[in-house]
Amino acid sequence: MTPAHGPDTADTSVVSAMVEFRGGSAMIPASRDVVHGFVTRLSERGLDLTDAFLDAARLVASELVTNALRHAPGPCRLELTLVDDRVEIAVTDTAEAFPTFLPRDPVRVGRHGLEIVTRLCGEVITKPHATGKTVYARLPLV
C-alpha cells in the first residue's frame, strides 16, 4: 500500500502534513511513518520533543487510522498540524457513524483504542461532513 499522495508542505508558515490512504492494513504502519517524519520536521524547526511525545503521537495516529480501517469503507486521510502547544491529529473517513466510547473495562480484550487516545490527548472531537466524518485529537507537546 502506498499513500495516494505524500505530505503536504505547500505553506511553509504552517507546519502540517496530509496523506490520503487508499485502504488496506499497510496504512496503519504507514501512518506511524508519516508521524515520525512530521515530528522530525518539528524538531528541525527548533521544537525540543521527547521520544515519549513521538511514541504517543504515533500511537494516537495508528489507533485513529486503525478505527477508520475497521469501521469505514474506502479511503481515509491523515492530517497532522501544529496548533499552538499541541499537534492536532485528524483522521477523515467515509463512515457516518461516530466512534463508540466504551466504558473502561480492564478485562476487555481489545477495543481500547479511543480510551487510549482520550487518555493521551484529553480532547477528542468528531465532526460529521457530507461524505463521512473527521476525528480530531490534540496531543500536548509536553
Short mmCIF file of all heavy atoms in Angstrom, two decimals, residues 15 36-50 53-54:
data_model
loop_
_atom_site.label_atom_id
_atom_site.label_comp_id
_atom_site.label_asym_id
_atom_site.label_seq_id
_atom_site.Cartn_x
_atom_site.Cartn_y
_atom_site.Cartn_z
N VAL A 15 3.08 24.38 10.00
CA VAL A 15 3.70 23.06 9.96
C VAL A 15 2.56 22.05 9.94
O VAL A 15 1.80 21.93 10.90
CB VAL A 15 4.62 22.82 11.18
CG1 VAL A 15 5.29 21.47 11.06
CG2 VAL A 15 5.66 23.93 11.29
N HIS A 36 6.32 10.14 12.24
CA HIS A 36 7.76 10.24 12.51
C HIS A 36 8.37 11.37 11.67
O HIS A 36 9.14 12.20 12.18
CB HIS A 36 8.45 8.91 12.23
CG HIS A 36 9.88 8.90 12.65
ND1 HIS A 36 10.90 9.31 11.83
CD2 HIS A 36 10.45 8.55 13.82
CE1 HIS A 36 12.04 9.20 12.47
NE2 HIS A 36 11.80 8.75 13.68
N GLY A 37 8.03 11.41 10.39
CA GLY A 37 8.54 12.48 9.52
C GLY A 37 8.07 13.86 9.96
O GLY A 37 8.83 14.83 9.93
N PHE A 38 6.82 13.95 10.39
CA PHE A 38 6.27 15.23 10.85
C PHE A 38 6.99 15.71 12.11
O PHE A 38 7.37 16.87 12.21
CB PHE A 38 4.77 15.07 11.11
CG PHE A 38 4.09 16.33 11.58
CD1 PHE A 38 3.85 17.36 10.69
CD2 PHE A 38 3.70 16.46 12.90
CE1 PHE A 38 3.21 18.52 11.12
CE2 PHE A 38 3.08 17.62 13.33
CZ PHE A 38 2.83 18.65 12.44
N VAL A 39 7.19 14.81 13.07
CA VAL A 39 7.88 15.17 14.31
C VAL A 39 9.33 15.55 14.01
O VAL A 39 9.87 16.48 14.63
CB VAL A 39 7.76 14.04 15.35
CG1 VAL A 39 8.66 14.29 16.56
CG2 VAL A 39 6.30 13.89 15.80
N THR A 40 9.95 14.90 13.05
CA THR A 40 11.31 15.29 12.64
C THR A 40 11.31 16.72 12.11
O THR A 40 12.20 17.51 12.46
CB THR A 40 11.84 14.31 11.56
OG1 THR A 40 11.91 13.00 12.13
CG2 THR A 40 13.21 14.74 11.07
N ARG A 41 10.30 17.07 11.31
CA ARG A 41 10.19 18.45 10.81
C ARG A 41 10.02 19.44 11.95
O ARG A 41 10.60 20.54 11.93
CB ARG A 41 9.03 18.58 9.84
CG ARG A 41 9.32 17.96 8.48
CD ARG A 41 8.17 18.04 7.51
NE ARG A 41 7.59 19.35 7.40
CZ ARG A 41 6.29 19.59 7.21
NH1 ARG A 41 5.43 18.59 7.12
NH2 ARG A 41 5.83 20.82 7.11
N LEU A 42 9.22 19.08 12.97
CA LEU A 42 9.05 19.97 14.12
C LEU A 42 10.38 20.16 14.84
O LEU A 42 10.71 21.28 15.26
CB LEU A 42 8.00 19.40 15.08
CG LEU A 42 6.56 19.35 14.58
CD1 LEU A 42 5.66 18.71 15.65
CD2 LEU A 42 6.06 20.73 14.20
N SER A 43 11.12 19.09 15.00
CA SER A 43 12.43 19.17 15.67
C SER A 43 13.39 20.05 14.87
O SER A 43 14.15 20.83 15.45
CB SER A 43 13.02 17.78 15.86
OG SER A 43 12.21 17.03 16.73
N GLU A 44 13.36 19.93 13.55
CA GLU A 44 14.21 20.76 12.70
C GLU A 44 13.87 22.24 12.81
O GLU A 44 14.70 23.09 12.55
CB GLU A 44 14.10 20.31 11.24
CG GLU A 44 14.74 18.96 10.98
CD GLU A 44 14.39 18.38 9.62
OE1 GLU A 44 13.54 18.95 8.89
OE2 GLU A 44 14.97 17.32 9.28
N ARG A 45 12.63 22.54 13.21
CA ARG A 45 12.20 23.93 13.41
C ARG A 45 12.47 24.42 14.83
O ARG A 45 12.02 25.49 15.21
CB ARG A 45 10.73 24.08 13.07
CG ARG A 45 10.48 23.97 11.58
CD ARG A 45 9.02 24.17 11.28
NE ARG A 45 8.81 24.28 9.86
CZ ARG A 45 8.26 25.34 9.26
NH1 ARG A 45 7.84 26.36 9.97
NH2 ARG A 45 8.11 25.35 7.96
N GLY A 46 13.14 23.60 15.62
CA GLY A 46 13.57 24.04 16.94
C GLY A 46 12.73 23.56 18.10
O GLY A 46 13.03 23.91 19.25
N LEU A 47 11.69 22.79 17.87
CA LEU A 47 10.92 22.26 18.98
C LEU A 47 11.66 21.08 19.59
O LEU A 47 12.11 20.18 18.88
CB LEU A 47 9.54 21.80 18.51
CG LEU A 47 8.58 22.92 18.13
CD1 LEU A 47 7.31 22.34 17.52
CD2 LEU A 47 8.22 23.74 19.36
N ASP A 48 11.82 21.11 20.90
CA ASP A 48 12.52 20.06 21.61
C ASP A 48 11.51 19.02 22.08
O ASP A 48 10.89 19.17 23.13
CB ASP A 48 13.28 20.67 22.80
CG ASP A 48 14.15 19.66 23.50
OD1 ASP A 48 14.53 18.64 22.88
OD2 ASP A 48 14.46 19.90 24.69
N LEU A 49 11.32 17.98 21.27
CA LEU A 49 10.31 16.98 21.56
C LEU A 49 10.97 15.70 22.06
O LEU A 49 12.02 15.30 21.56
CB LEU A 49 9.48 16.69 20.31
CG LEU A 49 8.75 17.93 19.76
CD1 LEU A 49 8.12 17.62 18.43
CD2 LEU A 49 7.71 18.41 20.76
N THR A 50 10.33 15.06 23.01
CA THR A 50 10.88 13.85 23.60
C THR A 50 10.49 12.62 22.77
O THR A 50 9.57 12.65 21.96
CB THR A 50 10.34 13.66 25.03
OG1 THR A 50 8.93 13.44 24.95
CG2 THR A 50 10.64 14.88 25.90
N PHE A 53 6.91 11.82 23.39
CA PHE A 53 5.94 12.52 22.53
C PHE A 53 5.80 11.80 21.20
O PHE A 53 4.68 11.58 20.72
CB PHE A 53 6.33 13.99 22.30
CG PHE A 53 5.40 14.66 21.33
CD1 PHE A 53 4.19 15.15 21.77
CD2 PHE A 53 5.71 14.74 19.99
CE1 PHE A 53 3.28 15.73 20.87
CE2 PHE A 53 4.83 15.31 19.08
CZ PHE A 53 3.62 15.81 19.53
N LEU A 54 6.92 11.44 20.59
CA LEU A 54 6.88 10.73 19.31
C LEU A 54 6.10 9.43 19.45
O LEU A 54 5.24 9.12 18.62
CB LEU A 54 8.30 10.45 18.80
CG LEU A 54 8.39 9.57 17.55
CD1 LEU A 54 7.66 10.20 16.36
CD2 LEU A 54 9.85 9.30 17.22
#
